[in-house]
Amino acid sequence: MTATIFRTFLFGLVFIFGLVVMTALLPSHYQAHAEQTIAVRDVQTVKQYLNVENWQELLTPQSDLQLSFLTQAQQVGGYGELAHPWGLAEITVLSLNEQGVTVQIRFDTEHVAHIQLAVSQQEESVVVTLSAKGENHAPLVGGLYARFAAYYVEQQLKMMMNQIVSQLKLHRQG
């Protein structure tokens, strides 16, 4: 009886240790991507989102996300906050030009992501791309969090892209 309890305890201990080691070995970085081709006539409407302050319109379907800027969002170095159900994130505009904007989002000191909105003109159309690259530095479970973040961020980018398309349709109709 005692030997069975000991073996069960030892198996549980080895199993948990193995799980922790496997989780710690997962890569802590991730990428997500969403892309849409639009008509050339819509490029100016899309370029309004190069001002990150206008991104709140893209987050509208998710009412628990609130974006506010404390300094100029249409300039490099613009700083703001994203209120999220899981906490407050800092947002900083890293680069800005006629073709795109890149922002850094930082949750605490453990999770950093760079999100880019790029507008590239092709021959007869314009490609709008939303992409994210992030990394989670949480000890032991950072890789597990990164896998979750990859899925979550990709869903957010798709939602934002759907909002851009909806705004274009509304702009054309009105």
Side-chain angles (χ1 to χ4, degrees):
M1 178 78 168
T2 305
T4 305
I5 293 173
F6 178 72
R7 277 188 243 148
T8 305
F9 175 73
L10 187 59
F11 174 77
L13 192 61
V14 169
F15 180 75
I16 291 172
F17 179 73
L19 218 74
V20 169
V21 168
M22 286 180 56
T23 302
L25 293 176
L26 287 172
S28 61
H29 57 278
Y30 64 90
Q31 294 183 3
H33 182 79
E35 187 173 276
Q36 181 71 40
T37 302
I38 63 168
V40 173
R41 69 179 183 270
D42 294 326
V43 74
Q44 289 307 317
T45 305
V46 170
K47 285 193 173 188
Q48 74 177 335
Y49 297 112
L50 295 179
N51 179 349
V52 183
E53 202 163 28
N54 294 331
W55 283 17
Q56 183 60 48
E57 292 176 23
L58 304 180
L59 300 172
T60 301
Q62 199 153 355
S63 61
D64 56 354
L65 296 176
Q66 295 298 316
L67 178 65
S68 60
F69 272 84
L70 307 172
T71 63
Q72 296 293 323
Q74 63 272 19
Q75 296 178 356
V76 172
Y79 176 81
E81 296 176 335
L82 176 65
H84 192 280
W86 301 330
L88 194 62
E90 302 170 359
I91 296 183
T92 306
V93 178
L94 297 180
S95 67
L96 176 65
N97 59 41
E98 286 292 314
Q99 288 76 40
V101 61
T102 303
V103 298
Q104 174 180 284
I105 298 179
R106 178 182 295 274
F107 281 99
D108 299 323
T109 57
E110 296 175 347
H111 188 172
V112 177
H114 291 159
I115 298 178
Q116 180 181 45
L117 170 68
V119 180
S120 58
Q121 187 141 357
Q122 307 296 322
E123 292 175 16
E124 297 177 14
S125 62
V126 175
V127 177
V128 180
T129 306
L130 277 166
S131 59
K133 292 181 181 180
E135 192 164 357
N136 193 301
H137 300 287
L140 295 179
V141 293
L144 196 58
Y145 286 158
R147 297 292 64 81
F148 172 74
Y151 173 77
Y152 178 79
V153 169
E154 183 143 356
Q155 297 310 309
Q156 293 300 314
L157 294 180
K158 287 178 182 177
M159 179 199 65
M160 291 171 71
M161 190 62 75
N162 287 340
Q163 281 298 105
I164 289 173
V165 171
S166 295
Q167 291 299 322
L168 292 175
K169 288 178 182 175
L170 287 172
H171 187 261
R172 273 187 243 126
Q173 290 174 355

